[in-house]
Amino acid sequence: MGVNKETIKEGDGTNFPKEGDQLTMHYTGTLASDGSRFDSSVSRGKPFQFVIGIGQVIRGWDEGVMKMSLGEKAMLKISSDFGYGARGAPGAIPPNADLNFEVELLAIGTKKAPGFSSSSSSYCVVM
């Protein structure tokens, strides 16, 4: 099935991530089946940083986030084969679970969305 992006708030329409860019995002992940939340950078108050397009995140993020522009907020509806698949994520995500992520693209490298500012010490980083 893959990933479907539904825009909640438009971004700048100009700056889009490309493979190898370091991104800073906020997200809240829920199970599509019952809406239960399994993770949220928003509730921790720490944006999430990763490099797009190199497999640091699930395939649904690698493909869906690259369709977003800077400052955009969207819902990514991700089928299990683009998420955690048959293995799931023990203790958080059951096997073969479809997922919904509300995501906001806060920065692409050093380009920040309007209104976003923070210090590098307040990030959760994937290395």
Side-chain angles (χ1 to χ4, degrees):
M1 188 172 137
V3 58
N4 181 41
K5 179 182 75 84
E6 297 175 2
T7 301
I8 296 169
K9 181 187 82 164
E10 294 289 337
D12 68 5
T14 304
N15 296 291
F16 292 85
K18 59 188 181 306
E19 185 176 313
D21 282 343
Q22 180 169 302
L23 306 184
T24 303
M25 300 190 68
H26 258 317
Y27 69 91
T28 297
T30 58
L31 300 177
S33 60
D34 65 5
S36 61
R37 185 174 76 185
F38 56 82
D39 195 13
S40 176
S41 68
V42 178
S43 65
R44 283 192 300 276
K46 291 189 173 208
F48 176 60
Q49 281 190 329
F50 66 100
V51 176
I52 192 78
I54 63 168
Q56 284 188 345
V57 292
I58 60 174
R59 184 175 174 192
W61 270 50
D62 267 343
E63 293 192 14
V65 171
M66 281 206 264
K67 298 174 186 175
M68 297 175 66
S69 65
L70 185 62
E72 183 173 345
K73 187 180 229 181
M75 178 66 72
L76 299 180
K77 296 185 174 193
I78 301 172
S79 61
S80 64
D81 57 322
F82 277 52
Y84 293 90
R87 64 180 158 73
I93 301 168
N96 301 309
D98 292 340
L99 308 172
N100 293 329
F101 283 93
E102 183 175 292
V103 294
E104 184 173 13
L105 183 52
L106 302 171
I108 302 171
T110 58
K111 287 184 186 171
K112 295 181 179 176
F116 173 66
S117 65
S118 82
S119 66
S120 60
S121 63
S122 63
Y123 297 128
C124 176
V125 180
V126 172
M127 314 241 340

